[in-house]
Amino acid sequence: MLKPLSEYEILAEQAHGHLCAGQILGLRMALFGVKLLGIEDPAGADRKRLVTYIEIDRCATDAIPIVTGCRLGKRALKFRDFGKVAATFCDLREGRAVRLLARDDAKRRARELYPQIANKNEQQMKAYRELTDTELFDTQWVRVTVGPEDLPGYKGPSVRCAECGEGINFKREILVDGRVLCRACAGERYYQPL
Ligand SMILES: [Zn+2]
Ligand SMILES: [Zn+2]
């Protein structure tokens, strides 16, 4: 079952290493997302219903799994590096999804609400606990097609890259001129072998 925000804050602080405005924002975002989808026990009974896409790797990112239970290692948290404070919550059972974007003016709202608090993080933490869901987030209902190879629990053969010989799971291989290549050998390598 969902807990009060204050209880999630304790868990988020433990997981993230400190409590910050980004944590509050991430918790609020996840709570709003599951509320819109009508998912009452995301980390428990409903844990197989939810997949979350997150579009930034920042403080708020760490807070989202605290509420949703969606973790990278469980394949229920998907990172798309778009540099936006946004996340999409997908209800696999009902086949619907909602994308939430943190509003640009939330920081300004925090300044207006608590001008007497000089510390920006303190100011924003307090405001982000109190602003309404719609003051904090823009809501967009979207369609997300989650392929079977992207679902938690997918079982399939791994294949071997014709270039480097490394194993590739979850159909991440790319066919180039009839050869099965890993994404690194196909040109997406982010590292240079020394
Ligand atoms: Zn932080
Ligand atoms: Zn390769």
Side-chain angles (χ1 to χ4, degrees), residues 16 18 20 59:
H16 181 62
H18 63 248
C20 60
C59 290

Side-chain angles (χ1 to χ4, degrees), residues 96-168:
R96 56 187 199 149
V98 66
R99 181 174 178 268
L100 299 179
L101 173 74
R103 292 179 56 92
D104 283 337
D105 59 4
K107 283 183 185 162
R108 179 177 56 76
R109 296 297 307 270
R111 271 199 307 278
E112 287 167 1
L113 271 176
Y114 295 109
Q116 71 277 18
I117 304 177
N119 181 297
K120 288 279 171 254
N121 189 51
E122 295 293 329
Q123 183 186 65
Q124 287 161 17
M125 285 208 306
K126 196 160 165 58
Y128 293 172
R129 287 187 185 103
E130 295 166 13
L131 289 168
T132 64
D133 291 326
T134 50
E135 285 171 321
L136 287 174
F137 307 108
D138 286 333
T139 301
Q140 186 182 23
W141 289 93
V142 295
R143 177 174 294 114
V144 180
T145 307
V146 188
E149 68 278 9
D150 287 332
L151 288 173
Y154 173 79
K155 301 239 189 324
S158 84
V159 298
R160 207 151 290 285
C161 173
E163 189 72 35
C164 68
E166 295 181 354
I168 311 157

Side-chain angles (χ1 to χ4, degrees), residues 52-77:
T52 305
Y53 287 76
I54 179 82
E55 298 182 19
I56 198 160
D57 47 355
R58 226 165 68 180
C59 290
T61 310
D62 277 349
I64 286 176
I66 303 292
V67 173
T68 63
C70 292
R71 294 184 189 285
L72 198 62
K74 289 183 178 168
R75 310 197 73 223
L77 184 71

Side-chain angles (χ1 to χ4, degrees), residues 84-98:
K84 297 181 182 180
V85 187
T88 300
F89 303 88
C90 310
D91 183 346
L92 300 174
R93 193 183 83 185
E94 301 299 321
R96 56 187 199 149
V98 66

Side-chain angles (χ1 to χ4, degrees), residues 161-166 168 180-186 189:
C161 173
E163 189 72 35
C164 68
E166 295 181 354
I168 311 157
V180 171
L181 296 184
C182 72
R183 292 174 65 160
C185 292
R189 187 174 280 120

